[in-house]
Amino acid sequence: MKYRNLLIAVFILAGFTGCVEKLDRKPKDFLEPADYYRTAEQLNIALNGVYDNLGTLYSNPIHFRFGFEGDEHWYVKNSPLSGLHIYDYTAAHPDFQSFWSNLYIGIGRANYLLANVDNNPSIDAAIRSKVKGEALFLRAYYYFMLVQSFGGVPLVLEPPKSLNDVDVPKATAKAVYERIIADMTQAEALVAPIQQLGFGGRVNKSAVRGILARVCLHMAGYPVRETAKYLEARNWAKKVIDDAEAGHALNPSYPGVFINLISDKYDIKESLWEVEYWGNKSDAYTETGSLGDVNGPATQNTQTGFAYAGIKATADNYYRYQEGDARRDWCIATFNYGTASQPANHKVFLTSVNRNTAYNRWPGKYRREYEIVLPKNNTGTPTNCPLLRFSDVLLMFAEAENEISGPTPDAIEAVNKVRRRGWSSGIKSVTITNGGEGYTTAPTVTFTGGGGSGITATATVAGGKVTGIVFANDAMYGKANGTGYTSAPAISFIGGNGSGAAATATIYTAADAEMPAAATAGKDQFRKFIQDERSRELNGETFRKADLIRWGIFVERMHTLSATIEKDLGTLTTPAYLNLFIKGFGPNITERNTLWPIPTKELTLNRALTQNPGW
């Protein structure tokens, strides 16, 4: 039987050999670029492919393992006990390779699209222009992510002409920044206004202008130090601020910004650009992210939304906020979620905080309880990732303005707008003016007038007198001391078998939020204040480490953090991972950590590449 089959195979092969010249050698399962990009639909499919890499890049490790948090968070898991999160790695670490590859895949897709976008001149020119603008911007943004992380990198701006066309040397960081700015500037004239699109998940004029401000600030800072770019940064930010048609404005509620993101509501006044996610991995959509899973309050409750929870806040992060800054208790959770057997969204509130216990609080900005896609998936979330918010634009404008002209009234007001929006409008303090007499139980406390609401408080009684008022815990604002008060409410005490108790209240005001005079006394003081303010406003949004590097204070700041943690907590043997964190943020960090090493695999593939200093 075997010999029979062999003979048949020989005859068949001989037949193929005899007819080889008649075969069509052009593959049928591959489209040449000249045969594609022929319709508006094909252009948009190709553009979606360029966008797709954003979803991959922002889906997981960038929010907790890449060290983007700088001095804001620490890694809480038992493993891995080496890696980027404690600055213990080599150039062979797979996270570097994955990051580099994903960015260059996106760049390659953009290059093919840009080279072929005009293949069919009969496609409406306006459609082709928008596609070109978005692809240019995305390619430039991918290069921005590369230059921030690796410094100078190969500038590949066309599709490869040969399989052997792989040895491309690094361009200088300055040259990469110049190309980014050139491409984004060209894109700004081509893309649609955000108000025309109606959502922030697509590249738009406001996004391009705001990111250009960010790029210019980074180019002005370390290591390129092209300080003339501060002027361009200010001008691009001001274009966003002054755009009357877009009408950008801060959402009146700081928590509301993130509740909108989590519950899939667009707010194009504040959220200028987002990475789009949707689905629960059991429906037709598979583009899920990780916001609230890897960087939210931990929970095993699948109804609340399972959270792996890989990071916690540092004490420096917590104490960077002043009392009255309502952003703190949204960014750093005041509670732990209940167990899997308890009701959904059940909370156990943390009743006190000090330099020791502050390290045990979860990031609270992204809370899975607000998700609307059901059932909730254990490893993916549908929450869009914000890449640019209007508050960031205001802070970038203020920073650039200060570097050019010092703390001008416009710079100060830009910062104060951000701070006023995030400030409490509730009760600041209560003074018992008369404890009364005869109270055997706590009387009911009532607040009337003042224009606000949302207070939940109880009285404390000792020796027959009212001795104080305790506000209830609140998951959003820390304490249920009310919101929206424009004047102090009246306080009355009813019941409790006593009488005569009286108290007065003071409220937080907009003036409490404004920058202190010491912070506006000069350029250096303003710079230092805004370095902290960016952390307070943009807490955990992946910008902190890059900001510390461009300000030239990264190594010093991380060494100080390590010493502070050791002072706060002591040298720990358990848990081992926290001790490794302390040690990693100390001796391991040197100037070489301001750049990542070029991945080992890329040095092997591209013989024109050279390794970054210190690696």
Side-chain angles (χ1 to χ4, degrees), residues 430-432 434-436 439-447 455-472 491-498 501-503:
V430 172
T431 302
I432 304 297
N434 189 338
Y439 290 97
T440 57
T441 60
T444 300
V445 186
T446 303
F447 293 79
I455 297 177
T456 304
T458 56
T460 57
V461 173
K465 298 179 181 295
V466 172
T467 57
I469 290 176
V470 178
F471 294 103
I491 304 175
S492 58
F493 299 91
I494 303 169
N497 301 317

Side-chain angles (χ1 to χ4, degrees), residues 251-260 326 330 365 421 476-477:
N251 186 316
S253 166
Y254 184 78
V257 174
F258 305 97
I259 293 173
N260 281 341
W330 180 262
K365 187 167 274 186
R421 185 273 297 274
M476 189 173 292
Y477 300 109

